Amino acid sequence: MVTYKRDEIISASEVARGFSNILNSIINRTKDKLAISKNNKLEAVILDIEEYERLQRVYDIDRKSVV
């Protein structure tokens, strides 16, 4: 299970109000990831595109090795 620091969790309403600033914190790498909560439940994660693509490559390699 992935753990998140308190400052890495934001509410969906915060995302709606401040998306530009939130996106900039990912782009500028002041944050590695941000977990989005809705009704006190973590629902999604915002990642830098390079990190997402790296994870996707790892997932694809792992998935191919299972087949």
Side-chain angles (χ1 to χ4, degrees):
M1 175 177 227
V2 175
T3 59
Y4 300 93
K5 298 175 193 167
R6 185 183 240 26
D7 68 341
E8 293 177 327
I9 301 172
I10 56 174
S11 69
S13 57
E14 287 178 88
V15 173
R17 284 192 304 267
F19 184 74
S20 181
N21 289 335
I22 290 164
L23 183 58
N24 283 334
S25 70
I26 296 295
I27 292 169
N28 298 330
R29 299 186 181 192
T30 56
K31 300 281 184 202
D32 294 327
K33 62 187 178 295
L34 289 169
I36 303 169
S37 66
K38 185 173 182 179
N39 299 322
N40 294 318
K41 181 180 174 196
L42 296 181
E43 298 288 354
V45 174
I46 299 175
L47 295 172
D48 169 272
I49 189 71
E50 292 168 356
E51 179 64 7
Y52 172 78
E53 290 172 348
R54 185 189 72 76
L55 291 170
Q56 187 65 50
R57 283 191 304 273
V58 170
Y59 173 77
D60 289 344
I61 290 168
D62 186 55
R63 201 174 82 193
K64 289 176 186 175
S65 69
V66 172
V67 175

